[in-house]
Amino acid sequence: MDESPPLGFVPLEDTLDFMNKDVDIMGVVTDMLPPSRTKGTDFQSTFSLTDWSNYSSSGLGIKFFRPKEDQLPTIRGTGDVVLLRRMKVKTWNGMTSVLSSHWSEWIVFPASSIPTEAPDKIPKFQYLCAPRTRPPRSAEWLYAISLCNSQDRTTFTAPMDPAEALTKTTSSTQCLDAAPKPKRSFALVKDVEDQRFYDLVGEVIKTYATSGGRVEVYLTDYTSNPFLFNYEWGQPGSGGEGRDGDDYNYAPRGRKQDWPGPYGKMTIQITLWPPHSGFALNSVKIQDFVWLRNVRIKHSLTRLEGTMYNDSKFPDRLDIGILDEKDARVKQAMERKDAYWKRAKAEGVRFIDDVRGEKRKKGKDNEAQPKGRAKRRKKQLQREEDQRILELAQTKTLEKHDINRNIRCAHPAVSPQPISEVVNSDRRRVKTPGGVEYQLPFHNVCCRASVRVVDYFPRKLEDFAVPCEASHEDELSESQEYEPRERPTRWEWRFYLLVEDGVPTKGSDISGDRTRLKVLVAHHDAEYLLKMDAEDLRNNRTALRELREKLFILWGDLEERKSAASKALKARGPNKNQGAATGKGADSLAKKQQQPCGKAFECCLKEYGVRVPRHEPLDQPNDPKAILEDGMVWARRFMMFGTTIL
C-alpha cells in the first residue's frame, strides 16, 4: 500500500515545518477525549492522530473548535481515520498542536466501514462529514484504507458493527452528515430562522464598508420578523446609542443619520465577504432591488443577522445581483412597499406600533405608554434644538469673521483660542507643594484656533511629500521568510505652515504684527487635511496639480505671492549696494510677500515636545531650556490635526 499522503497533504512528522501556516492532514485516531465546553462559548474535540511515520509515541495532538457540539468531528473511537483541511499549526500551552479555524473542514472514515484490503476499482464507502464539506477524492479514499490497515485493528475501540457505527444507512457514494444539513430555499424576511440558508430578494436601504473587505448590506422586503433589530420611528440612526445597527456602540462612526425606513423589525443586516462584497460596494446603490443566494442566518446578540461567504466549490462565483422591476418577486415587494408607506402616512405612530409587533394595552398601561414616548420625544427635540443653536452660533461666527467654510475641523463645541494665548499659555507654569514655581518646557494639550496661513516650508510644493524607510514589520511578516529584494519607495506628507490669528482679538491692532506659530502637518493628519495619499510629486504632475488646487483653498494666492517676491529679488541681482538689497527694500518686499491673502479658517492644534541639540534655536525664544543629561534640550512643537479641506 502507498505510504505517502495524497497530493496537497502533509505527513504528520513534517507539520513542525509549517508553524503558523495552514495544512491538510490525515491520520488514524490513537487517543481521544469526549467533547467538552471551552472556557468561552465554544465546544472542543481533543484527539491524537498518527500515520505511517508513527509520529510520536502518543500521536499528534488535534484541537477542533465549533460553536455547537454537533458540529464537531464525529469520532466513535480509536481506529477511525480523520481527514482535516485548512488546519493551523500552533504552539498551544507550550506544546505543538494543530488547531481548527473557522474555515477548517473534517471528514471521519469509521473503522467499521473501511475494508481490510484495497479493492481493484475505486473504493467508496460510508463516511461522516460536516455540512458543505467537499467530498473526498479517490486518492484520499485509498489513503484512508492504507492508514487504517497500518495499525493493529484488534486494538481499536471504535465500534466494528456498521449498524452501530453509523446512525443511518446511506449509499456508498453519499456523505453522511454528522448534523442535519440546512436546507436552502427562497424566503421572505418574515420567514427566516436561525442556522438556516436562504435565497433572499429585497431593497437595499443602506450599505456600510467595514474592515477585512466586508460590506454590510441592510435589506428589506417589507415583511416583519420579530427577531430582527427594531428601528424606531422618530429616533436618529437605529434608535440606539451607537451607529446604525450597533446597539452597544462598539464601532462609533461620527454623527448618526436618521433611519430612512421602513421602521420596526423589517430590515435585516447581511454581512458580505469577498467576492460578493466588492460587487456590493461598486455596483449596488441605495434603493436597488437585489437577489442574494445562500445567505446563512444566525443569531447575533439579540437579533438575527445574515452572512454570505464565498462558495468553497465555486470560489469565484458571485451570489449577488441586481434585479429589474420586471421580476415577479420585485413586483410583489414593490406592492408591499407602496402599501406600507400609504398606511404609515395615514395612521402614523399607531401603524409603527403594529409593525413592531407591539399591542396597545387597555387602562393605565395604555396611558403610560404614550407618556413614555412623549418623554423620549421631548428629550430628542431638546437635543435637536441644542444642536441647531450650536450650528447657528457657529454659522454666525463664520459670517462675522469671514471664516473659510470649505475647511472644517473637529470638536466644534470648543471655542477657538487666539494664537497669542496658545503660545503664552499659563498652563505650563506650575507650583510645587513647597511653593517653588517653575515653567514646563511643553504641555501635552490640544486646542482649537482660528488661523490664517502666511508662509510655508519647504519652498517648493514638490517637497511636501518625502520618502520614508520601510519598517521592520513591513519587511518581514510572521508568515513569510526574509528574501532581500528591492521594495517600492513609500512616501509620506511632511511640511510646515506659518500661521497667525485669523480673527482679530480684543485690543489687538489689525495692521500691527501678530503672534505667529510654526505648525507641522504630517502623516495621517496631512492625509486627512488634503484627502490625498502622499506620492512622488516630482514625477507625478497630476498629483502635484491636485495638491496645488487643494492648498489654494487653504491659503489663497500665497504661492503666487511668494513666487513673485522671489522673482523680484532675483531681478535686482548682485550690486555694489548690497546693503540696500538686504536692507529696507528686502524687508518691505518680504512683508508684502507675507501679507495674509487667504481666508482665515478654524483648525485643531496639539502641543508636544521633542529633543533637540542644545545649540539649536527654539521656535519660541522665551521657552525655558530644560537641559537633559545627554546635552539635549526639550523643544516645544505644534502639529495640526482633525482638520480637513472639503
Side-chain angles (χ1 to χ4, degrees):
M1 293 186 180
D2 192 2
E3 299 179 4
S4 59
L7 182 64
F9 283 75
V10 177
L12 299 186
E13 63 179 356
D14 296 338
T15 52
L16 290 177
D17 299 332
F18 293 85
M19 188 65 65
N20 297 319
K21 296 182 180 180
D22 290 339
V23 295
D24 296 349
I25 57 175
M26 287 184 67
V28 183
V29 178
T30 59
D31 192 14
M32 60 173 294
L33 294 174
S36 61
R37 185 182 288 274
T38 64
K39 294 182 180 180
T41 58
D42 289 345
F43 287 85
Q44 65 178 353
S45 176
T46 305
F47 53 95
S48 300
L49 297 180
T50 189
D51 59 4
W52 280 95
S53 63
N54 290 320
Y55 177 87
S56 171
S57 59
S58 58
L60 177 64
I62 309 292
K63 279 192 171 292
F64 208 98
F65 302 94
R66 281 295 178 263
K68 293 186 177 181
E69 185 176 357
D70 58 8
Q71 298 172 346
L72 296 173
T74 310
I75 301 174
R76 308 305 173 93
T78 61
D80 286 351
V81 177
V82 180
L83 181 153
L84 300 171
R85 297 191 184 108
R86 285 180 279 188
M87 301 288 287
K88 183 78 73 174
V89 183
K90 288 282 189 180
T91 301
W92 191 80
N93 283 349
M95 299 178 61
T96 301
S97 299
V98 179
L99 308 180
S100 68
S101 67
H102 176 78
W103 308 102
S104 300
E105 296 179 351
W106 61 267
I107 295 177
V108 176
F109 301 93
S112 60
S113 65
I114 300 177
T116 56
E117 294 182 0
D120 296 334
K121 60 180 183 179
I122 298 176
K124 289 185 179 180
F125 43 85
Q126 294 168 328
Y127 61 92
L128 303 164
C129 68
R132 297 170 58 83
T133 300
R134 186 172 72 250
R137 299 172 298 176
S138 300
E140 296 164 1
W141 292 98
L142 291 172
Y143 192 61
I145 298 174
S146 173
L147 286 175
C148 184
N149 293 312
S150 68
Q151 309 294 318
D152 185 0
R153 297 178 72 117
T154 61
T155 62
F156 293 167
T157 61
M160 289 293 103
D161 184 6
E164 183 182 355
L166 301 177
T167 57
K168 64 180 181 179
T169 304
T170 62
S171 64
S172 61
T173 60
Q174 184 179 7
C175 169
L176 175 63
D177 292 343
K181 190 171 182 177
K183 296 181 179 179
R184 193 193 81 205
S185 60
F186 171 73
L188 298 175
V189 170
K190 67 182 180 68
D191 298 324
V192 298
E193 298 177 357
D194 185 27
Q195 296 303 325
R196 293 181 66 89
F197 290 81
Y198 297 97
D199 294 344
L200 301 177
V201 170
E203 182 184 12
V204 176
I205 302 302
K206 67 175 291 187
T207 59
Y208 184 82
T210 62
S211 59
R214 297 170 297 171
V215 172
E216 294 176 0
V217 174
Y218 294 79
L219 189 80
T220 182
D221 60 6
Y222 294 90
T223 61
S224 181
N225 189 312
F227 300 105
L228 296 181
F229 183 80
N230 181 23
Y231 292 89
E232 295 186 7
W233 176 81
Q235 297 292 333
S238 62
E241 293 302 323
R243 65 176 176 86
D244 294 349
D246 182 16
D247 306 2
Y248 300 98
N249 203 22
Y250 289 148
R253 293 290 188 273
R255 182 182 175 184
K256 296 176 291 185
Q257 298 180 353
D258 290 341
W259 179 253
Y263 307 105
K265 301 178 179 181
M266 286 188 164
T267 306
I268 184 170
Q269 174 188 324
I270 302 174
T271 302
L272 307 184
W273 291 75
H276 320 302
S277 57
F279 179 85
L281 190 62
N282 298 322
S283 303
V284 176
K285 302 185 295 294
I286 304 301
Q287 295 183 345
D288 278 350
F289 278 86
V290 299
W291 59 268
L292 302 173
R293 178 167 47 208
N294 215 26
V295 180
R296 180 194 174 195
I297 305 299
K298 61 179 183 178
H299 253 294
S300 176
L301 297 177
T302 59
R303 60 181 179 273
L304 289 178
E305 292 182 353
T307 305
M308 279 183 60
Y309 299 99
N310 66 325
D311 195 314
S312 58
K313 295 183 179 179
F314 309 99
D316 297 327
R317 185 182 71 182
L318 285 176
D319 290 335
I320 177 175
I322 301 175
L323 297 174
D324 56 24
E325 297 181 356
K326 297 179 181 180
D327 189 280
R329 293 167 297 182
V330 175
K331 291 180 179 179
Q332 294 172 2
M334 290 289 291
E335 292 175 358
R336 290 191 296 269
K337 177 181 179 179
D338 294 339
Y340 168 86
W341 287 112
K342 287 180 181 179
R343 186 181 171 193
K345 292 179 180 179
E347 300 184 17
V349 177
R350 186 178 61 185
F351 169 63
I352 302 303
D353 291 339
D354 293 341
V355 172
R356 276 201 299 253
E358 298 178 357
K359 295 182 179 179
R360 293 177 176 268
K361 299 181 180 179
K362 297 180 179 180
K364 296 181 179 179
D365 292 341
N366 192 30
E367 297 176 358
Q369 189 175 358
K371 289 183 179 179
R373 188 182 301 109
K375 187 176 181 180
R376 292 194 300 271
R377 182 61 178 166
K378 183 178 180 180
K379 290 183 178 179
Q380 173 62 23
L381 291 174
Q382 184 62 43
R383 288 195 295 267
E384 293 177 355
E385 180 65 17
D386 294 343
Q387 182 65 26
R388 189 185 66 81
I389 294 174
L390 177 61
E391 293 178 353
L392 180 62
Q394 293 174 353
T395 302
K396 290 184 177 180
T397 301
L398 296 178
E399 294 176 350
K400 179 180 179 181
H401 300 294
D402 195 22
I403 299 296
N404 194 337
R405 296 190 180 187
N406 295 316
I407 303 174
R408 298 293 175 88
C409 66
H411 311 292
V414 179
S415 300
Q417 291 181 271
I419 292 297
S420 57
E421 292 185 9
V422 174
V423 174
N424 304 314
S425 174
D426 294 334
R427 287 175 294 193
R428 293 186 298 143
R429 296 186 177 90
V430 295
K431 180 185 292 186
T432 65
V436 178
E437 295 185 2
Y438 64 95
Q439 187 175 1
L440 298 173
F442 66 92
H443 196 190
N444 290 324
V445 293
C446 299
C447 65
R448 293 178 78 248
S450 178
V451 301
R452 179 184 286 108
V453 180
V454 297
D455 202 355
Y456 57 84
F457 179 83
R459 182 174 57 86
K460 294 184 177 181
L461 300 189
E462 292 88 337
D463 299 326
F464 274 33
V466 297
C468 61
E469 296 182 358
S471 64
H472 177 69
E473 290 77 6
D474 296 330
E475 296 176 354
L476 187 63
S477 65
E478 180 185 37
S479 60
Q480 69 185 79
E481 299 179 358
Y482 176 71
E483 297 180 1
R485 62 184 185 272
E486 185 178 355
R487 293 181 175 272
T489 305
R490 293 177 53 196
W491 294 81
E492 64 180 17
W493 296 111
R494 188 173 183 86
F495 56 92
Y496 288 90
L497 301 176
L498 185 65
V499 300
E500 67 177 17
D501 278 324
V503 178
T505 57
K506 185 177 181 180
S508 64
D509 183 7
I510 298 179
S511 60
D513 294 336
R514 303 183 187 178
T515 304
R516 292 181 172 179
L517 184 67
K518 186 171 74 172
V519 177
L520 173 65
V521 186
H523 311 305
H524 299 299
D525 296 321
E527 293 178 1
Y528 184 71
L529 174 70
L530 303 172
K531 293 182 179 178
M532 292 177 57
D533 293 328
E535 298 184 46
D536 183 2
L537 298 176
R538 294 186 179 275
N539 296 321
N540 191 335
R541 312 309 297 178
T542 303
L544 179 62
R545 183 168 55 254
E546 183 180 355
L547 174 65
R548 181 170 281 109
E549 293 174 356
K550 289 275 187 179
L551 294 176
F552 181 81
I553 301 175
L554 187 74
W555 61 42
D557 60 347
L558 178 60
E559 183 185 6
E560 289 80 357
R561 287 174 178 256
K562 287 193 66 171
S563 177
S566 177
K567 291 179 180 179
L569 286 174
K570 290 181 180 180
R572 287 175 172 243
N575 51 46
K576 296 180 180 181
N577 191 10
Q578 187 72 17
T582 58
K584 296 182 180 179
D587 291 342
S588 61
L589 188 62
K591 286 185 178 181
K592 182 179 180 181
Q593 168 237 316
Q594 293 184 354
Q595 285 179 353
C597 50
K599 282 189 175 183
F601 61 91
E602 293 183 349
C603 66
C604 294
L605 302 176
K606 52 185 173 184
E607 179 182 340
Y608 62 100
V610 296
R611 292 155 54 95
V612 299
R614 184 176 181 179
H615 58 78
E616 182 175 321
L618 302 179
D619 290 349
Q620 307 298 330
N622 296 329
D623 285 351
K625 284 192 174 183
I627 303 175
L628 305 176
E629 294 180 358
D630 55 359
M632 305 287 281
V633 297
W634 283 112
R636 187 162 57 133
R637 296 287 188 267
F638 292 88
M639 178 181 288
M640 184 180 295
F641 76 99
T643 308
T644 186
I645 301 174
L646 300 180

